[in-house]
Amino acid sequence: MFDNTHAHITTWVVALILFAVALFLHNSGNKKAMKIVQMILRLFYLLIIATGFMLFSKHSSYDPALYGIKFLGGIVVIAMMEMVLVRTSKGKNTGVFWALLLISFIVTFYLGAKLPLGWNWFS
Ligand code: HEM
């Protein structure tokens, strides 16, 4: 888990799927099931951060600035997923948070794939 990205990728892919399922449940009016999925999703937020932090702690000295932005970007993605879901369930406006989610996801994904471990698509 310190040297390859498999566990980290698994956690954020599962989180994205749970995020979509929670929105789907909301749209189909199933509030209670949505709450349960949201709770499981919060556990996955912690797992994303834990696996990301393990990679970060061992490899960030290679390029502290980019690893730092990757770390922050990942946290923003998680925060925006949470904001979109909480505001959706309260019936509040989510436009800005969707935009921030999309931008932070693209930045985080790009940096993850650019940094040296695992996928190396942009270097
Ligand atoms: C939902 C949020 C996140 C997404 C979508 C995401 C996405 C990615 C992607 C696409 C990679 C590249 C995988 C590979 O090259 O095999 C990666 C690697 C990494 N992520 Fe995340 N990540 C997220 C959250 C985080 C967080 C919160 C942290 C820090 C606590 C973090 C730290 C790292 C580190 C250190 C790497 C290794 C970079 C490398 O050397 O290649 N990530 N992430």
Side-chain angles (χ1 to χ4, degrees):
M1 273 199 270
F2 285 94
D3 285 315
N4 74 58
T5 51
H6 303 170
H8 185 58
I9 294 173
T10 306
T11 56
W12 63 255
V13 169
V14 171
L16 287 183
I17 294 168
L18 291 173
F19 178 74
V21 170
L23 285 174
F24 172 79
L25 289 169
H26 174 83
N27 291 341
S28 54
N30 205 337
K31 299 257 148 54
K32 199 167 176 194
M34 182 201 183
K35 278 265 163 288
I36 294 168
V37 172
Q38 246 182 310
M39 294 308 289
I40 303 170
L41 178 56
R42 286 180 184 136
L43 175 69
F44 272 84
Y45 294 156
L46 296 180
L47 294 175
I48 296 171
I49 295 171
T51 52
F53 188 79
M54 283 185 209
L55 296 168
F56 181 86
S57 64
K58 185 151 178 206
H59 300 280
S60 64
S61 57
Y62 171 81
D63 188 338
L66 275 194
Y67 271 86
I69 301 171
K70 169 71 183 63
F71 192 135
L72 276 180
I75 299 288
V76 174
V77 173
I78 291 171
M80 292 308 112
M81 291 206 285
E82 179 67 10
M83 289 303 283
V84 166
L85 284 185
V86 167
R87 292 180 70 91
T88 299
S89 64
K90 288 183 177 167
K92 290 186 179 168
N93 202 324
T94 52
V96 176
F97 298 98
W98 270 112
L100 291 173
L101 174 58
L102 201 69
I103 294 166
S104 58
F105 182 83
I106 291 170
V107 171
T108 306
F109 190 94
Y110 171 75
L111 284 177
K114 183 180 165 63
L115 285 168
L117 293 178
W119 302 330
N120 233 322
W121 297 338
F122 304 105
S123 41

